[in-house]
């Protein structure tokens, strides 16, 4: 696909417009003050059709993020869910990434956002593996960032807000410049938080650990899915504050996210994790995750919304 014009349509406040015409004013509130909330959702093609992964949970989180910022979305959740499905089908995509974004639009500038309209758009495109195909098997190299996650009383981490990603970008740029694939950020108290666009898990002695919501993380929908899969496979998942060195000493470490799916981590700060490749528990969870989205095993958690193709 070409970013100049992929020939597709973007949903903007109830209407479909051509990808090239899906524009907003440079004087929109969001451009100046970062006032947006968004979602990232995947749609998977499998032998039963094309299915959106955890559609309702993503729509709920979009509305929750908007609620935190007092943005009143002038649509019902059901309208947005239907618009998401339609945006995929009108673009005739079978397997894609979906990006709904709600933002403060064009009316007047000034920090006070309350007079600006609340607009919503939905775009879809094909997006392969987030950190590379090879990473899914061999793992990525990550480094702890000198930039911390947002402190609890500064900006709300549970809102998936565009502005949060200024913090994430600092960490991502630093990681790339230091030769890593991705960053891991510590929370304000120095405990492990999350990646620039992923939640993190570690495995020690067959027990799985992940930071709690109080470590300034996004309440990841893949994180939640992985916890269900792990429990179903008989593993205990403990949500607790994780000191940095516990990651170094883990048997396995992996990232989760819509874009990243389940991506193993083979080193942190140049320290080899476990055997230096994807570990057996990460592999089992990854394989179960893909079996579900690829329709190879039953959708026992009811995570898939099939499209009308
Ligand atoms: N933490 C952060 C900071 C984050 O951005 C994501 C998703 C997650 C955790 C995982 O959440 P979930 O997708 O619900 O499992 N990051 C999105 C944006 C990535 C991007 O580069 O843009 C995503 O994966 O869609």
């Amino acid at each position: 696909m070409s970013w100049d014009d992929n020939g597709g349509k973007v949903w903007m406040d109830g209407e479909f417009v051509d990808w090239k015409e899906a524009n907003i004013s440079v004087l929109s509130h969001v451009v100046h003050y970062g006032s947006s909330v968004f979602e990232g959702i995947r749609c998977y093609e499998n032998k039963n059709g094309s299915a959106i992964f955890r559609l309702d949970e993503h729509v709920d989180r979009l509305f929750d993020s908007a609620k935190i910022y007092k943005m009143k979305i002038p649509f019902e959740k059901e309208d947005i869910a239907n618009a998401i499905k339609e945006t995929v089908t009108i673009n005739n995509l079978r397997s894609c990434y979906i990006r709904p974004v709600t933002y403060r639009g064009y009316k007047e500038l000034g920090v006070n956002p309350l007079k600006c309209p609340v607009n919503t758009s939905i775009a879809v495109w094909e997006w392969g593996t987030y950190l590379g195909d090879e990473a899914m098997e061999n793992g990525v190299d990550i480094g702890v960032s000198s930039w911390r996650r947002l402190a609890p009383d500064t900006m709300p981490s549970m809102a998936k807000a565009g502005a949060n990603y200024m913090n994430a970008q600092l960490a991502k740029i630093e990681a790339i410049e230091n030769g890593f694939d991705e960053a891991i950020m510590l929370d304000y108290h120095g405990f492990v938080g999350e990646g620039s666009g992923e939640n993190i898990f570690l495995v020690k002695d067959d027990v799985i650990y992940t930071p709690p919501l109080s470590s300034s993380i996004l309440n990841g929908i893949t994180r939640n899915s992985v916890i269900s899969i792990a429990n179903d496979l008989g593993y205990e998942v403990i949500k607790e504050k994780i000191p940095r060195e516990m990651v170094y000493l883990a048997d396995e470490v992996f990232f989760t996210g819509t874009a990243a799916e389940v991506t193993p981590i083979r080193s942190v700060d140049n320290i080899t994790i476990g055997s230096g490749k994807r570990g057996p528990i990460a592999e089992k969870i990854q394989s179960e995750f893909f079996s579900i989205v690829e329709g190879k095993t039953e959708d026992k958690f009811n995570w898939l919304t099939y499209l009308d193709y």
Side-chain angles (χ1 to χ4, degrees):
M1 128 190 160
S2 144
W3 273 101
D4 291 343
D5 183 10
N6 80 350
K9 303 260 183 223
V10 176
W11 187 93
M12 292 182 88
D13 298 309
E15 320 250 319
F16 282 107
V17 299
D18 289 340
W19 177 275
K20 260 191 140 157
E21 307 302 323
N23 304 318
I24 59 166
S25 166
V26 292
L27 298 174
S28 300
H29 198 272
V30 60
V31 176
H32 298 253
Y33 309 111
S35 24
S36 69
V37 294
F38 68 100
E39 274 306 312
I41 313 173
R42 274 193 193 265
C43 175
Y44 291 92
E45 180 171 31
N46 66 40
K47 64 174 168 43
N48 307 313
S50 276
I52 298 180
F53 185 67
R54 307 203 70 176
L55 175 61
D56 291 342
E57 289 84 349
H58 281 284
V59 172
D60 283 346
R61 193 172 64 186
L62 181 71
F63 278 75
D64 285 351
S65 299
K67 179 176 185 178
I68 293 169
Y69 281 102
K70 306 194 177 199
M71 297 163 98
K72 170 104 193 54
I73 300 177
F75 293 95
E76 299 297 325
K77 285 185 181 177
E78 200 189 332
D79 300 328
I80 297 294
N82 285 332
I84 288 170
K85 289 194 264 184
E86 263 182 72
T87 311
V88 178
T89 51
I90 207 168
N91 284 286
N92 204 22
L93 286 170
R94 311 285 148 151
S95 193
C96 62
Y97 185 83
I98 307 165
R99 170 59 56 81
V101 55
T102 292
Y103 56 93
R104 302 272 194 187
Y106 175 70
K107 178 77 179 168
E108 62 178 39
L109 287 179
V111 172
N112 177 6
L114 299 172
K115 290 203 178 119
C116 292
V118 174
N119 298 117
T120 300
S121 289
I122 304 162
V124 292
W125 64 88
E126 285 174 17
W127 199 354
T129 51
Y130 193 52
L131 298 169
D133 289 342
E134 193 233 12
M136 299 307 264
E137 209 178 310
N138 299 329
V140 289
D141 301 307
I142 69 169
V144 173
S145 180
S146 65
W147 293 100
R148 299 241 185 134
R149 282 290 294 165
L150 312 158
D153 52 356
T154 60
M155 284 173 66
S157 289
M158 281 179 72
K160 191 169 169 64
N164 293 4
Y165 290 81
M166 291 300 276
N167 168 254
Q169 286 175 57
L170 289 169
K172 183 80 186 188
I173 292 169
E174 184 188 60
I176 291 169
E177 289 185 349
N178 287 335
F180 297 119
D181 299 301
E182 180 56 290
I184 179 76
M185 277 181 278
L186 305 180
D187 69 14
Y188 175 71
H189 299 287
F191 293 101
V192 174
E194 62 181 348
S196 72
E198 310 88 352
N199 291 116
I200 193 164
F201 285 78
L202 62 87
V203 180
K204 185 70 180 172
D205 298 330
D206 291 336
V207 177
I208 303 175
Y209 298 84
T210 197
L213 292 182
S214 56
S215 278
S216 298
I217 61 168
L218 183 71
N219 189 2
I221 291 167
T222 321
R223 171 182 181 271
N224 173 280
S225 311
V226 158
I227 292 171
S228 300
I229 290 172
N231 288 337
D232 195 52
L233 291 170
Y235 294 103
E236 188 186 359
V237 182
I238 299 177
K239 294 176 205 150
E240 66 174 33
K241 297 272 186 196
I242 297 178
R244 173 177 184 162
E245 63 275 22
M246 192 167 158
V247 183
Y248 300 155
L249 302 179
D251 302 324
E252 303 181 32
V253 185
F254 57 93
F255 275 140
T256 66
T258 298
E261 298 165 309
V262 180
T263 304
I265 293 166
R266 66 180 174 198
S267 78
V268 181
D269 293 339
N270 298 314
I271 296 175
T272 301
I273 302 304
S275 61
K277 50 184 196 342
R278 178 176 60 190
I281 294 178
E283 186 172 354
K284 264 192 230 169
I285 290 173
Q286 200 186 35
S287 141
E288 187 60 20
F289 174 83
F290 283 110
S291 292
I292 293 172
V293 298
E294 287 166 4
K296 289 182 189 147
T297 52
E298 183 210 338
D299 177 20
K300 60 181 142 195
F301 303 106
N302 243 324
W303 286 339
L304 304 179
T305 300
Y306 280 91
L307 298 170
D308 300 324
Y309 273 121

